[in-house]
């Protein structure tokens, strides 16, 4: 009888977890929909921000395109492009709600010591991703200028807005995601997989690996984008060593 009661109690716990997960997903989807709606209302502003690096490059390249603006060739792109931008921006707007709901879902299963690390880790992850995305935004014209002018004199570049925004978002995501490297390294250090001493011993291999990864994951064929990605990643690797040293001293 006790075994049956224990099974019933366990099933109730699983059902409650599933119910809580459903509630979290509803909140996340609701926040994303609201954020997307708000972003769609101001889609002109956000599209202008995304197109600014391209406009800068077209002005400097003396493009023959009127007003140095991107073009679209499909009638549906007049709607699908704003919707795509609104969905991405809406997810960013909803991010605080998403993180809060995820935290409410996982925090009951964490011990008090583990909860102390969650706040700094989430804050560090958000700041590093934002830093990577911002860095990509400001350095993108360098690689873009090389790509758009490489066939100068042999062909004319007509930038399709859908292709450009897709390329832009990939670059921003790659920079933002790779800038999370210190968070991953520190987490591995806290779990006992790596240490500052090991990281120093792996420095040469890590440097070569970072350079190779930067060359592989960047979609542009220009030499500037992977270089501009590798340099901050090498610096972040050294920062990770210093952070691990200070954590274990404490």
């Amino acid at each position: 009888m006790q075994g049956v009661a224990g099974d019933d109690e366990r099933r109730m716990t699983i059902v409650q977890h599933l119910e809580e997960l459903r509630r979290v997903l509803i909140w996340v989807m609701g926040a994303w929909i609201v954020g997307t709606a708000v972003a769609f209302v101001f889609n002109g502003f956000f599209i202008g921000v995304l197109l600014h690096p391209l406009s800068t490059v077209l002005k400097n390249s003396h493009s023959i395109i009127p007003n140095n603006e991107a073009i679209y060739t499909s009638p549906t792109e007049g709607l699908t492009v704003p919707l795509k931008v609104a969905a991405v921006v809406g997810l960013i707007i909803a991010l605080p709600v998403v993180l809060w709901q995820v935290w409410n879902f996982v925090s009951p299963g964490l011990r008090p010591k583990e909860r102390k690390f969650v706040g700094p880790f989430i804050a560090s992850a958000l700041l590093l991703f934002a830093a990577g995305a911002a860095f990509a935004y400001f350095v993108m014209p360098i690689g873009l200028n090389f790509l758009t002018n490489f066939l100068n004199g042999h062909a004319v570049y007509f930038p399709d807005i859908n292709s450009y925004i897709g390329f832009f978002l990939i670059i921003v995501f790659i920079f933002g995601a790779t800038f999370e490297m210190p968070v991953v390294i520190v987490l591995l250090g806290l779990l006992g997989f790596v240490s500052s001493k090991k990281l120093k011993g792996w420095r040469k291999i890590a440097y070569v690996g970072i350079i190779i990864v930067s060359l592989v994951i960047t979609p542009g064929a220009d030499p500037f984008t992977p270089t501009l990605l590798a340099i901050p990643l090498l610096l972040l690797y050294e920062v990770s060593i210093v952070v691990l040293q200070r954590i274990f001293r404490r």
Side-chain angles (χ1 to χ4, degrees):
M1 294 295 291
Q2 290 180 352
V4 174
D7 290 341
D8 290 340
E9 186 176 339
R10 210 172 291 120
R11 288 194 193 99
M12 285 295 294
T13 303
I14 293 173
V15 170
Q16 289 172 354
H17 279 301
L18 292 175
E19 186 66 25
E20 182 67 15
L21 179 60
R22 186 178 73 87
R23 186 192 64 80
V24 169
L25 293 176
I26 290 174
W27 269 96
V28 169
M29 290 302 298
W32 187 18
I33 292 172
V34 172
T36 301
V38 172
F40 187 77
V41 172
F42 300 98
N43 72 86
F45 169 77
F46 292 115
I47 291 176
V49 171
L50 294 177
L51 291 177
H52 180 70
L54 177 64
S55 299
T56 302
V57 170
L58 293 177
K59 288 177 183 178
N60 295 333
S61 64
H62 305 290
S63 172
I64 63 172
I65 301 175
N67 301 321
N68 298 311
E69 294 178 343
I71 65 170
Y72 62 95
T73 56
S74 171
T76 58
E77 287 183 348
L79 179 61
T80 57
V81 170
L83 284 174
K84 180 192 294 186
V85 173
V88 174
V89 176
L91 183 60
I92 297 173
I93 294 174
L95 200 55
V97 177
V98 173
L99 293 175
W100 177 252
Q101 291 301 316
V102 172
W103 166 248
N104 285 335
F105 183 73
V106 302
S107 60
L110 299 177
R111 291 174 293 183
K113 289 184 179 180
E114 294 171 336
R115 293 179 187 179
K116 293 180 181 179
F117 288 103
V118 173
F121 267 104
I122 291 177
S124 300
L126 290 175
L127 288 173
L128 285 171
F129 189 91
F135 184 72
Y137 183 83
F138 288 109
V139 303
M140 188 177 176
I142 299 175
L144 196 61
N145 185 64
F146 175 85
L147 294 173
T148 56
N149 291 300
F150 192 76
L151 288 176
N152 192 22
H154 300 283
V156 178
Y157 173 53
F158 284 90
D160 177 73
I161 187 171
N162 195 28
S163 299
Y164 165 76
I165 288 180
F167 176 78
F168 178 90
L169 293 177
I170 290 173
I171 291 290
V172 169
F173 177 78
I174 287 173
F175 272 73
T178 53
F179 269 51
E180 301 288 347
M181 183 176 64
V183 175
V184 176
I185 291 176
V186 172
L187 180 60
L188 292 174
L190 291 174
L191 294 174
F193 292 108
V194 299
S195 64
S196 57
K197 185 177 181 180
K198 287 182 179 180
L199 293 176
K200 289 178 181 178
W202 298 338
R203 183 176 275 129
K204 291 182 180 179
I205 298 175
Y207 278 19
V208 173
I210 288 172
I211 293 171
I212 292 174
V213 169
S214 300
L215 289 169
V216 171
I217 65 175
T218 47
D222 65 287
F224 302 105
T225 303
T227 302
L228 293 170
L229 176 61
I231 291 174
L233 291 183
L234 295 174
L235 295 175
L236 289 173
Y237 184 84
E238 296 297 327
V239 170
S240 303
I241 295 175
V242 175
V243 171
L244 274 183
Q245 284 178 332
R246 292 187 177 182
I247 288 176
F248 284 111
R249 281 176 187 173
R250 292 179 182 179

